Amino acid sequence: MALRIVGLSPPSQPPRAWWWGFAALFAAFLLTMPIYFDIAVLFSVTNYLVLALLALSMSFLWGYGGMLSFGQTAFFGLGGYTYAVMALNLHETTGAMIVAIVLPMLFAAVLGYFMIYGRISDIYFSVITLVVTLILEKGIRATSGDQYVVGSVRLNGQNGIPTTPALQVPWNPKVQLEIDDVFYLAAILLVLTYVGLRLLLITRFGRILVSIRDNERRSALLGYDTRRYKLLAFVIAAGVAGLGGAMWGVWGNFVGPNMFNLGQAAQVVIWVIVGGKSTLIGPIGGTIAVQYLTDWLGTQGVGQVSLVLGIVLMVMVMLFQQGLLPSVGLIAAMARDALSGARRHRAPP
Amino acid sequence: MSDEIILETRGLEKRFGGVRAIADVSFKLRRGELRCLIGPNGAGKSTFFKMLTAQLKPTSGQILFESKEITRLEAHEIGRRGIGIKNQVPDVYDGLSVRENIWLAASVRARPTLARAKVDEVMARLELEPLADRLVGELAHGQRQWVEFGMVTAREPKVILLDEPTAGMSAEETSRTAALIREANKLATIVVVEHDMQFIRQIARTVTVFHQGAILAEDTMENIQKNQTVKDVYLGKSGRA
Amino acid sequence: MDDVAIYAYQIGLSFAIFILISLGLAVIFGMMRVINLAQGEFLMLGAYFCTLITKAGVDLWISFFLAALAVGVFGMIVERVMIRYLYGRILDTLLATWGLSLFLVGGVTTIFGPQSESVAATLGQVTVGAFGISLYNLVVIAFALALLLGTYALWRYTRFGLVVRGTMQNPAMAAALGVNTGLVYTLTFGFGSAITGLAGAVLAPIVGAAPPMGVFFIGKAFITVISAGHLPLLGTISASGLYGVIDGVVAYISSSVIGEMTVLFVAIILLRLLPLGITGRMRRGI
Ligand SMILES: Nc1ncnc2c1ncn2[C@@H]1O[C@H](COP(=O)(O)OP(=O)(O)OP(=O)(O)O)[C@@H](O)[C@H]1O
Ligand SMILES: [Mg+2]
C-alpha cells in the first residue's frame, strides 16, 4: 500500500509523462556531474553507480518477483571474474563484457531450474542462494595455488586479480576508457537498465511476474506456468548483476573474492530495504546513501563497519517495514492528509 | 445440455495422514450442467475441488476431463485446458487494481486487443467499472468475491468450480450472484458448493450430497429434500439445514 | 584394515561435526520455524566463551557447560527482544537475524580483534597403523552422539518435550490448555541456542575461535536442516549421515572446499527430487 501513499503508480501501469521527465532529469543530472565535480569525486560516484546496478537487480527480483535472492552478489562476483579472465585471455574487452553478462545468466538458469522447478518455498530459495554464495566465495578463496588457472590467468585465491583490464572502445580497441569515460558509461548503463526494467514491468511478462508475487496460486490456477516466469526473472536479474560485476572490475581494475562476500550481500539487501523495494528508483537512492555512509564511517575509524550495518539492518526490519525513503513519504502523506482533513473541517458544510 | 461427460472422477481418494478426506468418489458431470454440491462441514467438498484443479494431489484414483486423463497435470495445465475455480477463501490479487485482476485472467488465452475487450465486457457485466482502479485489497468482502467471479469467467473456462460463492453476502447480493451464475451457465458447465438451501433451490437441477468424503446421494433438489438419509446427516450430525 | 578404520574415523568425525553444527538449528528452524541466520555466530560465541572461561583457569570440561549456559541465556534474551516480534514473518526474521549476525561478528572483532583464539585439549593420540588419531576427536564424536540422544530423550520422554512439541504444532490449542506458550518459545529457543553454544565450545579445541567462524559452518548447517524435512531430529540424523559420508570422503581425497561443494550439489539435486526433504513423506516421528 506504500505505493499509493508515496504517490507512485502501481508497478505495472505505464509510466506517466512526469516519470519520463524525471528519468530525463536524472540522466541529465548524472551526465553533467563531471562539470561540477573533480575526478576523485567522479571516481567514487562511479562506484556507487555500478553498485546501484546490483541494487537494481535485487530490487527487481525481490520487489517485483517476490524472490529474495542472496545470490545476486554471487552473480556480481561471477560477472567480475568472467570479465577479468576473458579480457586477459582474449586481449579484447567487448566480448569479455558480453560473456560476463551471459555466464551469470546461464548459471542462474541452471540453479534457478533446480530451485524453482523443484517448487521449494520462498524461504528455502533465499537460504539456498545464500549457501551457494557462501560456497562460491570459499571456492574462489581456495584458488591460490598455481594449478588454478583459466587459460593464461591465475585466479589468485584471496588476492583476486589486480590486473583486470580497462575497457576498450568496441570499434577502436586501441583506445581505453579513462576514469571519466567509465563514469559516463556507468551512468548511461544505470539509466538504461533502470528505464529498461521499468518498461519490462508493463509488458505482459512484467505484469504476470507481479501477479505471481501477489498470489502465485491464483496465477497458476488461471493457467500461467508461474515457474517459467520466475525463472526468467531470476535469469534477467542475474544478467544485470553480472553487468554490475564486470563494470566494477572495469572501475577498480580489480576483482576479488570479497565480491561474493556475505557482508557484500548484506549491503545489497540494506540498500534495497533503505530505498524501499516497492520502487526501482528507491534502491538506487538507497545504494548511494548507504554507500556514502559506509565510506564515511570507514574514514571515521569506526572500525567495524559490519557492526553498524548489522544494527542498521535490525533497526530497518524491526521499525521501518516499508523502507526508509517510503517511510518518510508515508509520514509526509499522513501529515498532508491531516492538514487537508483539517482544512475540510473548516470549510462550511 | 448434452449427454457428453465433460468431467469425471474414478475412485478418487485423498488421505491427510490418517484422515480419509475423500474416499472412493466416482463422479460424473455432463457438459452444460449446473450442479450443486452440498454436505456438512468437513464432508470433503473443498478437498474434492482442490484435487480437480491440482492444488492437491490425489492419493489414488483418476480424473478425466473431456475423456482425457488429467490426474497428474500441474495446476496451470489444468487451468489452460479450461477448468476454472473460485476457492472457498477469496483468492485474488490484493495488491493490484480491479481492472488488472480481470486483465490477468482474460489474457491467459486471448491476444492483447481481445483481452482488453473481454475485460471491459466482464467489468460491465459485473458492474465493477466504478471500482476499476481501486486496489482489490481495499474492497469489501462481497465485492472481492465478484472480482474473483469475474476473473474465473473472464478466461472462459469450460468448467467452472465455485466453492461457496455467496459466503458472507447479503440476501440481495446472493440473488444477484445466482443470476450471474445462471448467466455464466449458458457458456460453461458449473459446479457450485453451497450451504444455503434457498440459494440452491434458485439455481440447481441436480444436487450431489457429500458426506464423510463419499457421495451420499445424487438426485433432483426435490427428491434430495425428501431423502431421509440426507436429513439425518444434516440434522443429526451437524445441525444445519 | 587400517584404511577401513581410518575411513570409518573420517566419516564418523565428519558426521559428528554435521550433527553438532546443525542440531541447534534443527530445534530453532526445524521445530520452531525460526530462520536464524545468526546461528553460526551463536556457535562462535560458544567457542569464545569456552576459550575465555578456560583462560580464566576453569577446567575445559566445565567450561563447555558454562559456554552452553551462557549462549542459552543469550538466546533467550534474543528471543525476548527480537524474535518474539517476528513470529510468522519469516523473511523479516531472516533479515533481522542476519543483522544480528553481522552485529555479533563486528562486535566480537571489535572486542577481541580479528585473530583466532585457541584452546588446547591435550588428550594425546592413538595410532592406527601409520596414522595418528587425536583422542579428542573421538571425544567429539562421542559428544555428538550424546547430544543427539539427549535431545531425543528430552523431546520424546519428558513432559517438557511433549509440551514443546504440542505448542509448535498448535500454539492456539496449547494456550487453550493452559500452556504458557510465550515461555515455551523462549525456552525452546534458549535450548536450541544452548546446544549450538555447546557445539561451538566442543569444536573450539579443533578449530579455535575466530569472528568469521560462524560463516564457515552456517552453510552446512542450513543445507542439513533444509534437507531434513519436517521431522527435525530424524531428518537431521539422516541428512548428517548422508552429507557426513560425502563430505568426509570427498574432503579426504581432495579438499574441504571441494567436499563442501559436492555436498551443496547433492543437496540441490536432492531438493529437486524431494522438495519436502528426506522426511517429507514420513508421517510420524520427531
Ligand atoms: N490440508 C489438510 N490437512 C489435513 N486435513 C485436511 C486438510 N484439508 C482438509 N482436511 C480435512 O479434510 C476434511 C475435509 O475438509 P474440506 O475442507 O474438504 O471440507 P468441506 O466439505 O469443504 O467443509 P466446509 O463446508 O467446512 O468447507 C476435513 O476433515 C478436514 O479437516
Ligand atoms: Mg469447504
Side-chain angles (χ1 to χ4, degrees):
Chain A
M1 311 291 125
L3 287 177
R4 273 303 162 91
I5 295 158
V6 291
L8 295 167
S9 20
S12 38
Q13 276 176 17
R16 308 216 187 97
W18 66 260
W19 182 82
W20 286 106
F22 165 76
L25 260 179
F26 179 51
F29 169 69
L30 283 179
L31 295 179
T32 52
M33 276 182 81
I35 302 175
Y36 322 118
F37 295 109
D38 65 26
I39 205 86
V41 176
L42 283 190
F43 185 69
S44 43
V45 172
T46 308
N47 184 24
Y48 301 161
L49 299 182
V50 168
L51 294 176
L53 280 173
L54 184 53
L56 268 184
S57 141
M58 182 76 146
S59 71
F60 169 73
L61 193 63
W62 186 16
Y64 296 91
M67 293 177 268
L68 172 53
S69 157
F70 293 107
Q72 298 322 100
T73 48
F75 302 130
F76 182 77
L78 202 59
Y81 269 86
T82 309
Y83 172 76
V85 167
M86 293 301 290
L88 286 171
N89 272 315
L90 301 175
H91 306 290
E92 193 277 334
T93 59
T94 312
M97 197 71 173
I98 293 169
V99 180
I101 299 170
V102 172
L103 196 73
M105 291 173 89
L106 285 178
F107 181 57
V110 174
L111 180 65
Y113 167 77
F114 278 101
M115 293 189 298
I116 294 167
Y117 277 70
R119 289 194 192 287
I120 58 171
S121 66
D122 293 352
I123 203 73
Y124 284 10
F125 177 88
S126 302
V127 173
I128 290 185
T129 49
L130 181 118
V131 173
V132 167
T133 308
L134 265 175
I135 291 182
L136 267 181
E137 185 197 348
K138 262 186 224 175
I140 283 289
R141 283 194 194 285
T143 57
S144 45
D146 289 332
Q147 70 272 38
Y148 298 105
V149 177
V150 181
S152 60
V153 183
R154 277 189 56 176
L155 292 179
N156 270 337
Q158 299 276 16
N159 300 324
I161 306 177
T163 51
T164 305
L167 205 58
Q168 302 155 351
V169 176
W171 51 88
N172 188 2
K174 282 194 205 73
V175 183
Q176 293 193 337
L177 298 192
E178 301 293 331
I179 290 180
D180 51 345
D181 301 326
V182 175
F183 169 82
Y184 282 122
L185 182 64
I188 292 170
L189 284 176
L190 180 64
V191 172
L192 284 184
T193 311
Y194 170 62
V195 172
L197 288 177
R198 182 67 183 80
L199 294 183
L200 183 64
L201 287 170
I202 59 167
T203 61
R204 190 181 134 95
F205 165 78
R207 288 158 169 248
I208 294 167
L209 184 66
V210 171
S211 85
I212 293 170
R213 176 203 65 184
D214 214 55
N215 187 341
E216 179 165 2
R217 182 185 46 218
R218 194 12 111 196
S219 301
L221 289 175
L222 285 176
Y224 294 112
D225 187 354
T226 57
R227 298 170 301 181
R228 229 178 56 206
Y229 294 91
K230 288 169 88 171
L231 184 58
L232 194 53
F234 189 51
V235 170
I236 291 172
V240 174
L243 172 69
M247 281 301 293
W248 198 78
V250 169
W251 165 74
N253 296 118
F254 171 74
V255 297
N258 277 346
M259 292 175 82
F260 294 89
N261 200 337
L262 258 199
Q264 176 78 45
Q267 295 200 17
V268 187
V269 171
I270 292 173
W271 301 334
V272 175
I273 296 187
V274 167
K277 64 184 182 342
S278 45
T279 66
L280 288 175
I281 192 74
I284 296 181
T287 309
I288 295 173
V290 176
Q291 256 336 91
Y292 183 78
L293 181 77
T294 22
D295 285 358
W296 180 78
L297 280 177
T299 59
Q300 296 301 300
V302 179
Q304 285 303 312
V305 175
S306 79
L307 189 77
V308 180
L309 285 181
I311 296 174
V312 171
L313 192 50
M314 284 189 281
V315 169
M316 287 303 305
V317 174
M318 306 287 294
L319 301 180
F320 299 101
Q321 274 299 297
Q322 301 288 355
L324 201 57
L325 299 181
S327 291
V328 171
L330 192 124
I331 293 165
M334 279 178 358
R336 192 187 58 211
D337 285 359
L339 284 178
S340 63
R343 224 175 292 130
R344 225 176 293 128
H345 282 299
R346 254 181 274 124
Chain B
M1 200 187 304
S2 70
D3 283 338
E4 183 203 343
I5 302 293
I6 188 166
L7 184 66
E8 179 180 359
T9 70
R10 293 184 186 156
L12 203 61
E13 176 158 321
K14 178 71 192 176
R15 287 168 185 273
F16 292 110
V19 182
R20 243 171 137 201
I22 292 287
D24 191 24
V25 167
S26 297
F27 173 88
K28 283 185 181 172
L29 189 70
R30 275 165 301 154
R31 193 184 285 279
E33 242 189 291
L34 203 176
R35 178 80 65 95
C36 274
L37 223 72
I38 62 171
N41 293 113
K45 307 176 295 290
S46 299
T47 307
F48 182 61
F49 269 17
K50 285 189 174 159
M51 282 196 288
L52 295 180
T53 49
Q55 297 176 70
L56 289 172
K57 296 273 170 240
T59 313
S60 62
Q62 282 181 305
I63 306 167
L64 290 91
F65 179 62
E66 297 187 315
S67 316
K68 290 190 197 75
E69 170 142 18
I70 58 165
T71 321
R72 306 260 157 248
L73 295 190
E74 302 278 350
H76 72 269
E77 293 170 310
I78 289 184
R80 291 211 161 244
R81 295 224 180 169
I83 301 182
I85 182 168
K86 184 202 124 10
N87 279 323
Q88 187 164 351
V89 288
D91 203 0
V92 286
Y93 302 114
D94 281 330
L96 304 181
S97 69
V98 171
R99 176 181 295 281
E100 197 140 26
N101 269 265
I102 312 268
W103 180 87
L104 279 159
S107 55
V108 175
R109 296 184 323 139
R111 276 178 293 127
T113 44
L114 282 177
R116 235 168 289 140
K118 187 78 199 165
V119 172
D120 291 337
E121 178 209 317
V122 170
M123 304 258 290
R125 178 152 40 80
L126 291 165
E127 295 167 20
L128 288 170
E129 283 127 332
L131 304 174
D133 292 321
R134 295 273 300 276
L135 292 185
V136 172
E138 296 169 346
L139 300 183
H141 182 74
Q143 293 172 323
R144 292 171 78 215
Q145 301 254 53
W146 278 326
V147 171
E148 187 166 12
F149 187 79
M151 291 172 77
V152 174
T153 49
R155 51 175 308 286
E156 298 176 346
K158 296 172 186 160
V159 172
I160 299 177
L161 310 174
L162 300 170
D163 199 342
E164 309 201 6
T166 69
M169 283 188 177
S170 67
E172 195 186 322
E173 290 172 324
T174 304
S175 64
R176 215 186 124 212
T177 306
L180 287 171
I181 291 176
R182 255 183 266 119
E183 174 79 24
N185 186 223
K186 289 178 186 155
L187 298 170
T189 312
I190 299 186
V191 187
V192 184
V193 165
E194 257 307 334
H195 285 298
D196 183 343
M197 292 297 165
Q198 192 69 38
F199 177 79
I200 295 165
R201 246 172 264 131
Q202 280 181 40
I203 60 168
R205 292 185 201 90
T206 316
V207 175
T208 303
V209 184
F210 265 60
H211 179 51
Q212 295 185 344
I215 295 179
L216 181 73
E218 190 168 291
D219 212 327
T220 62
M221 187 62 195
E222 280 164 35
N223 289 341
I224 288 290
Q225 278 176 306
K226 287 183 214 137
N227 187 321
Q228 193 55 44
T229 347
V230 174
K231 276 187 197 161
D232 288 347
V233 165
Y234 264 88
L235 297 177
K237 293 190 179 131
S238 86
R240 328 177 32 165
Chain C
M1 191 57 217
D2 292 351
D3 278 0
V4 176
I6 280 297
Y7 264 106
Y9 160 77
Q10 280 295 342
I11 289 171
L13 183 63
S14 168
F15 171 69
I17 288 178
F18 267 94
I19 290 282
L20 282 175
I21 60 179
S22 36
L23 198 57
L25 192 64
V27 171
I28 288 177
F29 179 55
M31 292 187 75
M32 301 181 68
R33 305 317 290 171
V34 171
I35 187 141
N36 179 19
L37 282 191
Q39 194 68 21
E41 281 62 45
F42 284 22
L43 203 83
M44 168 193 77
L45 287 184
Y48 265 95
F49 279 124
C50 174
T51 55
L52 286 181
I53 295 169
T54 29
K55 282 222 176 82
V58 178
D59 182 69
L60 182 68
W61 308 101
I62 297 173
S63 80
F64 286 167
F65 293 97
L66 292 179
L69 196 68
V71 179
V73 170
F74 178 73
M76 288 198 275
I77 296 172
V78 168
E79 200 274 345
R80 281 276 149 148
V81 300
M82 185 161 104
I83 307 289
R84 167 131 317 186
Y85 303 100
L86 297 170
Y87 286 122
R89 287 158 50 191
I90 194 157
L91 263 173
D92 289 337
T93 315
L94 181 135
L95 293 173
T97 53
W98 195 12
L100 179 65
S101 144
L102 292 171
F103 172 78
L104 289 175
V105 172
V108 168
T109 315
T110 309
I111 299 173
F112 300 106
Q115 75 282 6
S116 174
E117 304 282 330
S118 61
V119 54
T122 41
L123 292 182
Q125 292 199 332
V126 288
T127 39
V128 177
F131 302 95
I133 291 178
S134 148
L135 261 183
Y136 184 75
N137 287 356
L138 296 178
V139 172
V140 169
I141 297 179
F143 244 107
L145 291 178
L147 204 56
L148 195 59
L149 289 177
T151 308
Y152 179 80
L154 182 71
W155 280 173
R156 182 74 181 76
Y157 297 112
T158 67
R159 205 185 117 68
F160 174 71
L162 185 67
V163 169
V164 168
R165 284 187 290 145
T167 306
M168 297 311 153
Q169 260 170 29
N170 191 341
M173 178 68 86
L177 292 174
V179 173
N180 179 349
T181 51
L183 184 65
V184 170
Y185 277 107
T186 308
L187 287 177
T188 313
F189 197 88
F191 177 75
S193 309
I195 52 181
T196 310
L198 181 60
V202 170
L203 289 174
I206 304 181
V207 296
M213 75 182 279
V215 178
F216 192 79
F217 291 111
I218 188 84
K220 278 181 182 171
F222 267 104
I223 291 180
T224 309
V225 176
I226 287 184
S227 309
H230 73 136
L231 301 180
L233 276 187
L234 190 59
T236 302
I237 297 169
S238 340
S240 295
L242 175 66
Y243 297 145
V245 170
I246 295 172
D247 194 39
V249 171
V250 177
Y252 187 66
I253 55 184
S254 58
S255 76
S256 73
V257 172
I258 305 284
E260 202 166 331
M261 284 186 171
T262 316
V263 166
L264 175 68
F265 185 71
V266 172
I268 289 176
I269 305 272
L270 185 100
L271 278 177
R272 175 73 183 92
L273 302 177
L274 301 171
L276 298 175
I278 296 176
T279 59
R281 287 180 180 280
M282 298 183 195
R283 253 187 244 142
R284 39 186 74 247
I286 303 177

